[in-house]
């Protein structure tokens, strides 16, 4: 399973690393803003029982430019995961902003706020806030931890 936010973070990291050409103004003229729709399906193994999950939604971002601006990018997520086993379903909503910036030491930091499904790839969901220093690997977690959406769905649908 590749958590949706991790995939999105990889996309953003690639965009930041490759700089402006990928972030050219869209046809709407809203310079620097980009939107990605998510519509993918996969299976989750619940101790031998396969359940289907359909991730659908979007994230949009805005890159910040300007001399001396420490803010680099803001991403806003709205992604719904619908887990299904027969006629039974379990829904998980992954929402919130991710803010990329340079801290006072010039290190790249992302703050992940809201209800991310697996904000740092450790197999849990969060209602709260994560500060992740991408240069040093330091992580601060503030909020309530819950089992991953997959674990919650397995419990709800097969438990």
């Amino acid at each position: 399973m590749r958590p949706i936010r991790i995939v999105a973070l990889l996309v953003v990291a690639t965009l930041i690393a490759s700089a402006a050409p990928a972030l050219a103004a869209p046809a709407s003229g809203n310079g620097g803003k980009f939107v990605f729709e998510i519509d993918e399906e996969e299976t989750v193994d619940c101790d031998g029982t396969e359940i289907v999950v359909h991730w659908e939604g979007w994230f949009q971002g805005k890159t910040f430019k300007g001399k001396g601006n420490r803010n680099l990018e803001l991403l806003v997520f709205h992604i719904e995961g619908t887990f299904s086993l027969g006629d039974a379903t379990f829904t998980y909503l992954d929402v919130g902003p991710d803010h990329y910036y340079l801290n006072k030491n010039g290190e790249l930091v992302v703050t992940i706020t809201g209800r991310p499904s697996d904000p740092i790839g450790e197999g849990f969901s969060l209602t709260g806030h994560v500060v992740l220093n991408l240069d040093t690997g330091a992580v601060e977690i503030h909020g309530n931890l819950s089992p991953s959406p997959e674990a919650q769905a397995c419990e709800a649908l097969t438990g």
Side-chain angles (χ1 to χ4, degrees):
M1 165 65 189
R2 38 186 183 175
I4 261 330
R5 285 246 178 153
I6 297 299
V7 171
L9 292 176
L10 293 173
V11 168
V12 170
T14 301
L15 290 174
I16 288 172
S18 64
L23 300 175
S28 68
N30 190 352
K33 179 180 176 183
F34 54 92
V35 178
F36 289 97
E37 291 187 12
I38 295 168
D39 187 1
E40 59 181 71
E41 194 169 280
E42 56 194 355
T43 58
V44 174
D45 180 21
C46 296
D47 292 327
T49 301
E50 293 289 318
I51 61 175
V52 175
V53 60
H54 182 220
W55 294 103
E56 185 173 27
W58 50 266
F59 69 93
Q60 66 179 347
K62 169 78 174 147
T63 57
F64 299 100
K65 299 177 183 174
K67 188 175 181 177
N69 190 351
R70 292 183 5 194
N71 293 301
L72 300 175
E73 194 160 77
L74 179 66
L75 294 175
V76 179
F77 289 82
H78 186 97
I79 302 166
E80 184 173 301
T82 303
F83 297 79
S84 303
L85 180 62
D87 292 334
T89 61
F90 173 84
T91 302
Y92 186 89
L93 189 61
D94 179 337
V95 295
D98 294 0
H99 175 214
Y100 289 81
Y101 63 94
L102 298 175
N103 68 12
K104 65 182 178 185
N105 298 324
E107 299 161 336
L108 181 59
V109 175
V110 60
T111 58
I112 303 168
T113 305
R115 190 172 185 236
S117 59
D118 192 359
I120 59 172
E122 296 292 327
F124 62 84
S125 64
L126 170 74
T127 302
H129 185 76
V130 173
V131 179
L132 175 59
N133 185 316
L134 298 174
D135 286 333
T136 67
V139 178
E140 296 175 34
I141 299 173
H142 309 277
N144 298 315
L145 300 178
S146 301
S148 71
E150 293 78 15
Q152 291 178 45
C154 287
E155 177 64 27
L157 298 174
T158 67

